[in-house]
Amino acid sequence: MADAQSWVPDILGEPYEQLTLELGDDAEGPVVATLVRAGAPASDAPLADVDVLYVHGWSDYFFQTALADFWTDLGARFFALDLRKYGRSMREGQTPGYVASLGEYDDDIAAALDAMGTAGLGRRLVVMGHSTGGLTLTLWAARHPGVVSAVVLNSPWLELQTGAIGRQALAPLVSAQARFDPLGSYPVVDLGFYTRAQRELGTLPESPEGWRPERGFPTHPGWFAAVLAGHATVAAGLDIDCPVLVLLSKGSTPPIQWSEAMTTTDSVLVVADIARAATRLGDRVSVVRVKDAIHDVMLSGAEPRARVFAALRAWLIAGVLV
């Protein structure tokens, strides 16, 4: 477990603290992840023996203090991980968000769990991921049986927006590009509508420069091939050995041109495809579709956000962890 003296104040202010996790070097230089911890949890609450590790999505970092408050109010210790080359963990000269395999994040997660000390303290672990972070944690949980007590997925990117047929058609081309030019650039396809939706809802704070670009990070063949490989693994079927909750919007809006519907639907993923893919994660999967939620269901408008937290609390308390 990491020395408590290594923790320093976080950009979110008190009571948040952060810890830099050294992960060695890659071709772009020193690599780190950053663990953030919330304040002390409520005492005598139902999840007093639980630790939560949250992982963000693509072009993102941890800033969702209401989510941390939800868990600490239930008695859990809350931690969030800014993965390598994201947010707090970005270093000069690095390609934002880039990995050649989602399995590279095993080292980030292992370092975080070691710093949390969950296993040594005999505490239960819940992992929670959004979008690409949800895909990453899904694959990680399947590879690490017996470690996690519950998995919570917030609009996990379990399938490509083109569906399985489109993914299968694209995969050979992307794999070839990844072999010959892994860091080549793709055209920017994010038109900034998802960011606009959050701003209109008032749920997106100002971010440090470069941490959460309006139109997302540039994408590259090596990274895209890693995501497609993750989708193929999910499509083949997993056997996660603990309860899984998947939280999704009830509807999707194609991100072709701006529409007010983007403030009440998922404008990033095709949620019907994600719901179908979720059935392949294991034999204890629950899917909750939330009316008027957006892609990050925790950043939806006030009413759907309240429904999200109520559904999550009910699932946790109704026999999953209590």
Side-chain angles (χ1 to χ4, degrees):
M1 186 171 178
D3 185 345
Q5 298 302 314
S6 300
W7 292 90
V8 299
D10 186 62
I11 62 166
L12 294 174
E14 294 185 359
Y16 293 91
E17 296 179 311
Q18 64 169 267
L19 176 69
T20 299
L21 306 172
E22 306 286 346
L23 300 174
D25 293 0
D26 69 4
E28 296 183 327
V31 177
V32 304
T34 309
L35 189 64
V36 179
R37 68 180 178 188
S43 58
D44 301 322
L47 303 187
D49 68 333
V50 170
D51 285 352
V52 177
L53 179 63
Y54 172 83
V55 175
H56 57 81
W58 174 245
S59 302
D60 215 344
Y61 69 102
F62 171 68
F63 61 87
Q64 293 90 337
T65 55
L67 176 63
D69 291 343
F70 167 84
W71 286 104
T72 57
D73 286 349
L74 287 175
R77 296 197 306 168
F78 179 87
F79 300 84
L81 183 61
D82 276 14
L83 297 168
R84 62 182 68 194
K85 305 185 183 183
Y86 284 94
R88 299 166 178 82
S89 306
M90 281 199 287
R91 298 295 183 265
E92 186 175 354
Q94 291 183 336
T95 305
Y98 184 81
V99 289
S101 166
L102 297 182
E104 292 182 36
Y105 293 131
D106 282 18
D107 290 343
D108 305 50
I109 296 168
L113 295 180
D114 180 62
M116 291 161 60
T118 302
L121 294 171
R123 298 173 63 81
R124 293 181 292 171
L125 175 66
V126 175
V127 293
M128 179 175 188
H130 168 57
S131 199
T132 312
L135 174 62
T136 297
L137 285 179
T138 292
L139 300 169
W140 177 86
R143 291 194 301 269
H144 293 80
V147 176
V148 184
S149 294
V151 175
V152 180
L153 303 174
N154 169 3
S155 302
W157 193 16
L158 302 179
E159 181 57 275
L160 194 64
Q161 288 84 330
T162 60
I165 294 175
R167 168 174 50 79
Q168 291 163 0
L170 281 172
L173 175 61
V174 173
S175 293
Q177 293 173 326
R179 287 194 299 273
F180 294 107
D181 189 17
L183 289 172
S185 294
Y186 284 135
V188 176
V189 296
D190 184 344
L191 301 178
F193 299 143
Y194 175 51
T195 298
R196 177 176 172 180
Q198 292 167 86
R199 286 184 175 150
E200 293 212 359
L201 290 167
T203 56
L204 181 63
E206 289 298 319
S207 302
E209 185 176 357
W211 285 20
R212 205 175 194 268
E214 181 175 350
R215 299 178 66 177
F217 295 148
T219 57
H220 308 278
W223 171 83
F224 193 26
V227 170
L228 292 178
H231 291 162
T233 301
V234 170
L238 301 176
D239 188 21
I240 296 176
D241 66 346
C242 66
V244 179
L245 175 65
V246 179
L247 297 161
L248 294 168
S249 177
K250 233 176 182 179
S252 296
T253 299
I256 299 170
Q257 63 180 11
W258 170 253
S259 164
E260 285 298 326
M262 292 177 175
T263 63
T264 55
T265 57
D266 190 322
S267 58
V268 177
L269 301 179
V270 180
V271 290
D273 288 346
I274 304 304
R276 282 190 290 270
T279 64
R280 305 186 186 102
L281 302 185
D283 57 10
R284 287 184 285 171
V285 179
S286 301
V287 178
V288 174
R289 304 283 294 272
V290 182
K291 184 178 183 292
D292 294 335
I294 63 170
H295 176 53
D296 187 333
V297 297
M298 305 293 177
L299 299 180
S300 304
E303 291 186 10
R305 188 167 68 249
R307 291 194 290 270
V308 168
F309 282 123
L312 175 55
R313 190 183 194 284
W315 183 77
L316 292 167
I317 303 301
V320 174
L321 293 181
V322 178

